[in-house]
Amino acid sequence: MRYPAAIAGMVLVDSSHEGQVTRRGAVGWRYSPAGQRWRALKRRAQPLGLYRLADAAGAAHELDGDVAREVEPEDGGAHRAILLSSRHRRAVVREQLLAATLSGTPPQLGSIPVTVITAGREDPDWVQMQDELAALSSDSRHVFAEGSSHYVQRDDPELVLRAIRDMVRRLRPGSRPG
């Protein structure tokens, strides 16, 4: 919304929704605005050196699961280093605090081409929010990554690549009216 002239099209991969914290807060405290703020505070207060020390001692088991879920094994070391960086921790805190303050409906996108890729979860509320994201543009497509987790780019990279290539084709001169 800050740079509309710089946006030609968007591919959203199991993307966040402005209202997700408020709406999912009804599911449980962990997802509520207060839960997001608590998680951000906990993360912010976490001395990164101690977390790195725990990792070096083999006691950061939560990190093992994150790395295994998010990247291929050959990229695990690099991803682990990113997750243990101060920059990453600050970014996560900002993201959690922002999520806790957003609510409502995302702004309309007009006719900007949008493709929304939704992970194949069986969560009707999440699917509804993803439908709402697709409805923000008059030129949208909604694709479901059946059998995929939130990390669609890892579980079904070909689907993501097809969506990006399709977007590039849609944006070529002469492919859109007007």
Side-chain angles (χ1 to χ4, degrees):
M1 294 313 299
R2 288 184 187 168
Y3 308 101
I7 306 301
M10 297 181 356
V11 176
L12 304 175
V13 181
D14 211 38
S15 182
S16 298
H17 182 289
E18 271 83 341
Q20 79 183 40
V21 171
T22 304
R23 289 162 69 172
R24 294 190 70 142
V27 174
W29 184 83
R30 180 175 192 262
Y31 298 107
S32 71
Q36 289 293 320
R37 285 186 190 95
W38 172 250
R39 289 171 51 206
L41 177 64
K42 220 169 90 174
R43 174 77 67 137
R44 182 69 181 109
Q46 180 181 57
L48 197 54
L50 290 178
Y51 198 45
R52 287 185 188 137
L53 184 60
D55 181 56
H61 302 296
E62 176 183 310
L63 189 60
D64 294 335
D66 290 344
V67 170
R69 198 173 38 255
E70 295 175 19
V71 298
E72 295 298 328
E74 62 269 17
D75 299 324
H79 189 60
R80 179 179 233 91
I82 290 168
L83 292 176
L84 290 169
S85 72
S86 297
R87 177 178 280 186
H88 180 265
R89 182 174 62 120
R90 287 190 304 268
V92 169
V93 168
R94 283 192 305 270
E95 181 181 328
Q96 288 171 326
L97 291 173
L98 180 63
T101 60
L102 292 175
S103 63
T105 306
Q108 292 294 312
L109 299 172
S111 62
I112 293 174
V114 173
T115 298
V116 175
I117 301 173
T118 301
R121 315 178 205 181
E122 301 204 6
D123 180 345
D125 293 330
W126 186 257
V127 171
Q128 180 181 354
M129 286 187 277
Q130 297 290 290
D131 283 338
E132 291 169 12
L133 290 174
L136 296 174
S137 169
S138 60
D139 183 3
S140 69
R141 297 180 181 163
H142 193 172
V143 178
F144 289 88
E146 298 301 330
S148 177
S149 72
H150 174 62
Y151 302 100
V152 179
Q153 69 278 6
R154 178 169 183 213
D155 297 337
D156 196 349
E158 287 302 316
L159 176 68
V160 176
L161 287 172
R162 280 194 308 271
I164 293 169
R165 288 180 183 128
D166 177 62
M167 181 60 69
V168 170
R169 278 192 293 278
R170 288 164 66 190
L171 295 171
R172 286 198 175 123
S175 65
R176 295 181 65 209

